[in-house]
Amino acid sequence: MHKKNFTRHQRTVSFRSSDCNSGTIWRWKIHFTQHLVRTKVNEIIELLGLNKVTDTYVGKLSGGEKKRLSIGVELLTNPPFMFFDEPTSGLDSSSSYQVVTHLKSLAEAGRVIVCAIHQPSSRLFEMFDDVFILSEGNCFYRGPVNDMTTYFEEAGFVCPKYYNRADFAIEVVCGERGDNFGNLIDIDTERNYFQVADDATNNYENISEKTSMLSQIVGSSRTETTIQVMLDKTNSKERRFPVKLPTQFFILIKRCLLCTMRDLHMAQLRTIAHIVVGLLLGALYYGLGNEASKMSSNAACLFFFIMFLFFSNSMPTVHTFPVEASVFHREYLNNWYSLPAYYFSKIVAEIPLQILCPTLFLCIGYFLTCQPFEWSRFTQFWVLCVLVTILGQTMGLAIGAAFDAQLGIFLVPASSIPMILFSGFFLKIQDIPQYLHWLSYVSYFRYAFEGSMQCIYGYNRTDLECSIPYCYFKSPSKILEEFGMEESDYGMDVLGLAGWIVALQFALYAALKWRLKIS
């Protein structure tokens, strides 16, 4: 160990698990009833001493209670091996003792508990069974705690009487009590204490041999059936989960909705923003939808509809996966649920807001700007608005999953600017240079704008009102000709937006899978 910069491998100690019954190991494919689930949860609460805080929000728990709660969450799958990185970090001596006491009880119940403890007190150190000390890639000691001082004495390092053995070991490997480390390493090599672990890793020839080797490592009397389950889970190429995919999906959906209900801040902000901007838009473009002399202003109004819905839903969602990445990664590695279950739950959980927000915005802005009061046109325009909302949100999720939040906030507008330029609003599609014309076919803003113009001015709409002596664009067909959209098709525009959504959904799933692979 080096000064005070200890790594996880430089301060690892473990409990030696005691006898256990194989019946305590839950098989991965068993389906638990609600009664069994409640029973198991109550057992964990009782084991960790959390009875008094069962009705308390996590944010209001003390530091020690949060540590014990995090342990309890991991215990739900009843793992035979548990690893803890500094479980006492940030806790006072009393809370640290409570946490280690509960870990000790877990070890006595038959689990293998491995902990990395930062400068344990003598009281805590006495509770451990085995210690493993590393420094600069060399093992200085591995074995029972009670034999550690004797081992150091053989190498010429004598622990003072009534001195904390943990502090003494750290001082030795840091060089504060001499630099004669050769004896420590030589003695450890001669003992070859954990050679059986290497043999067990390299010589898995049959299940009986695996069972024998693992039993020596664990130091417990786990039955052959238990060891077989553990090995199967380790060697299996495909992940297996405690419950089936539909159950995972519905549980995750319930959690997403519960989290939304408990923290409505962002949902409320998004909803209020759509209402306020809808009112502002309606006041600014009030009554222009049926006025021929204000055609260009109304076209700008329609394009703003699209712009607002896209960016108001893409920018906030960039933060979704970066914020949840650590939690999702840990739970996935714990085999709690699969990637498809998490992916579909996030997509489905967002549907209510994806429908509510554009609907409120459209109901306000559409009628205040006096767009045609026809149910078919309103419905078609509503479909476009919902698709643009889903498209924007999916793009934000995909970029947030592939990159960090800071880079994602830059990439969303940066990638959208070319799409806006080739939308047909600032420059007619026919006027785009031939060598760049193909970019108009990949612009989702083009499909959205063309579709909205068809909804408002297509389908043989009657002549518009004219408040001045002569209006060239009194006929809606001339408006479509002016923008070069007289031949455009609403159905193809919808398919274009849907195609973009599908492509981004695949990109989102691939980004999540890639994140899991590299992490």
Side-chain angles (χ1 to χ4, degrees):
M1 286 179 279
H2 245 12
K3 296 182 180 179
K4 294 185 179 180
N5 298 321
F6 307 122
T7 65
R8 180 181 304 181
H9 301 291
Q10 292 173 332
R11 55 181 190 283
T12 303
V13 292
S14 67
F15 291 119
R16 182 186 302 132
S17 59
S18 59
D19 294 346
C20 69
N21 297 322
S22 61
T24 60
I25 305 300
W26 289 9
R27 295 182 181 276
W28 286 97
K29 293 193 175 183
I30 190 170
H31 299 286
F32 302 109
T33 63
Q34 288 295 324
H35 175 72
L36 289 177
V37 170
R38 293 193 188 96
T39 301
K40 184 63 181 178
V41 170
N42 290 334
E43 289 177 356
I44 294 174
I45 291 174
E46 183 70 28
L47 176 65
L48 298 178
L50 296 173
N51 308 72
K52 297 181 179 180
V53 293
T54 52
D55 296 325
T56 305
Y57 284 113
V58 175
K60 297 182 179 180
L61 296 177
S62 65
E65 290 168 345
K66 288 181 179 178
K67 292 282 185 179
R68 282 180 279 161
L69 176 62
S70 63
I71 296 171
V73 170
E74 303 300 329
L75 285 174
L76 289 174
T77 54
N78 202 11
F81 294 88
M82 300 185 73
F83 296 83
F84 298 91
D85 183 16
E86 297 187 11
T88 60
S89 178
L91 303 180
D92 56 34
S93 58
S94 177
S95 299
S96 299
Y97 181 76
Q98 290 178 357
V99 170
V100 176
T101 299
H102 290 301
L103 294 179
K104 180 70 173 179
S105 64
L106 295 177
E108 292 173 347
R111 297 176 181 84
V112 176
I113 308 297
V114 180
C115 299
I117 300 294
H118 182 69
Q119 293 181 326
S121 64
S122 58
R123 187 186 185 190
L124 294 183
F125 196 66
E126 290 293 332
M127 300 180 68
F128 291 93
D129 299 315
D130 300 297
V131 62
F132 193 88
I133 304 175
L134 284 173
S135 180
E136 297 184 351
N138 296 315
C139 177
F140 286 85
Y141 178 74
R142 44 189 165 181
V145 170
N146 294 332
D147 296 342
M148 187 184 69
T149 52
T150 304
Y151 170 84
F152 278 98
E153 287 178 3
E154 295 178 9
F157 299 96
V158 180
C159 179
K161 203 172 184 179
Y162 307 116
Y163 199 79
N164 184 356
R165 291 183 293 176
D167 291 339
F168 172 72
I170 293 175
E171 292 170 2
V172 169
V173 299
C174 288
E176 296 180 10
R177 292 182 177 270
D179 55 0
N180 185 20
F181 299 139
N183 292 338
L184 285 173
I185 299 175
D186 292 341
I187 295 174
D188 179 79
T189 303
E190 291 175 3
R191 288 191 174 191
N192 204 13
Y193 188 83
F194 279 146
Q195 185 62 42
V196 65
D198 297 329
D199 295 337
T201 303
N202 300 322
N203 300 296
Y204 280 163
E205 296 179 358
N206 52 63
I207 188 61
S208 60
E209 182 180 358
K210 298 175 188 178
T211 304
S212 174
M213 292 180 178
L214 279 177
S215 297
Q216 295 180 58
I217 297 173
V218 175
S220 66
S221 60
R222 296 188 186 274
T223 64
E224 183 172 325
T225 303
T226 299
I227 301 298
Q228 171 106 32
V229 173
M230 292 160 53
L231 292 172
D232 287 343
K233 290 189 292 183
T234 302
N235 298 332
S236 176
K237 295 182 180 179
E238 296 183 359
R239 287 182 173 269
R240 294 180 291 176
F241 301 93
V243 294
K244 292 183 178 180
L245 181 62
T247 305
Q248 300 173 31
F249 171 75
F250 286 114
I251 292 175
L252 289 173
I253 279 287
K254 182 179 179 181
R255 184 176 74 172
C256 289
L257 295 177
L258 185 61
C259 291
T260 302
M261 294 300 296
R262 287 180 175 178
D263 186 12
L264 291 172
H265 183 65
M266 182 56 67
Q268 289 173 342
L269 285 179
R270 287 175 60 183
T271 304
I272 293 173
H274 281 75
I275 294 174
V276 171
V277 175
L279 291 172
L280 181 62
L281 185 70
L284 183 63
Y285 293 95
Y286 182 77
L288 298 185
N290 198 37
E291 176 58 47
S293 62
K294 306 293 184 181
M295 179 277 301
S296 59
S297 297
N298 193 54
C301 173
L302 297 178
F303 193 74
F304 183 83
F305 269 72
I306 299 165
M307 292 273 290
F308 172 75
L309 289 174
F310 178 83
F311 286 106
S312 65
N313 289 279
S314 60
M315 299 302 291
T317 54
V318 170
H319 296 272
T320 299
F321 285 115
V323 171
E324 298 181 0
S326 59
V327 176
F328 165 58
H329 184 244
R330 182 182 71 249
E331 294 177 347
Y332 175 78
L333 293 181
N334 286 347
N335 268 25
W336 287 11
Y337 49 78
S338 63
L339 175 58
Y342 176 77
Y343 166 78
F344 285 110
S345 67
K346 296 300 294 184
I347 298 303
V348 174
E350 293 290 339
I351 290 178
L353 279 179
Q354 289 175 344
I355 295 177
L356 176 63
C357 290
T359 301
L360 292 174
F361 173 73
L362 187 60
C363 287
I364 297 171
Y366 187 91
F367 294 107
L368 285 178
T369 56
C370 292
Q371 306 302 330
F373 296 160
E374 298 178 25
W375 177 250
S376 59
R377 295 180 187 274
F378 176 82
T379 302
Q380 288 181 325
F381 196 38
W382 175 82
V383 170
L384 283 176
C385 290
V386 171
L387 289 176
V388 170
T389 300
I390 296 174
L391 174 64
Q393 192 156 354
T394 307
M395 175 167 284
L397 292 173
I399 292 179
F403 307 97
D404 58 73
Q406 185 175 1
L407 183 58
I409 291 175
F410 167 76
L411 287 177
V412 169
S415 62
S416 300
I417 288 175
M419 302 298 178
I420 295 174
L421 291 176
F422 293 96
S423 64
F425 175 74
F426 298 100
L427 184 66
K428 289 196 297 186
I429 302 298
Q430 294 83 348
D431 296 337
I432 297 176
Q434 193 62 35
Y435 62 92
L436 294 176
H437 194 270
W438 63 273
L439 288 172
S440 65
Y441 292 102
V442 297
S443 172
Y444 40 82
F445 281 105
R446 172 190 174 175
Y447 296 118
F449 184 55
E450 275 188 357
S452 63
M453 292 294 286
Q454 283 292 327
C455 294
I456 301 303
Y457 296 111
Y459 302 106
N460 300 317
R461 180 180 174 181
T462 58
D463 290 346
L464 305 179
E465 296 177 358
C466 183
S467 60
I468 59 178
Y470 174 75
C471 293
Y472 178 78
F473 294 111
K474 188 173 184 179
S475 173
S477 60
K478 291 184 178 181
I479 298 175
L480 296 178
E481 291 176 5
E482 175 67 17
F483 284 92
M485 298 178 181
E486 66 276 8
E487 300 296 332
S488 62
D489 182 61
Y490 173 82
M492 293 301 298
D493 294 326
V494 170
L495 287 177
L497 291 175
W500 260 104
I501 292 173
V502 172
L504 288 173
Q505 293 287 359
F506 276 111
L508 170 58
Y509 187 86
L512 289 174
K513 196 168 185 178
W514 173 70
R515 279 289 186 182
L516 289 174
K517 186 176 180 180
I518 66 173
S519 58

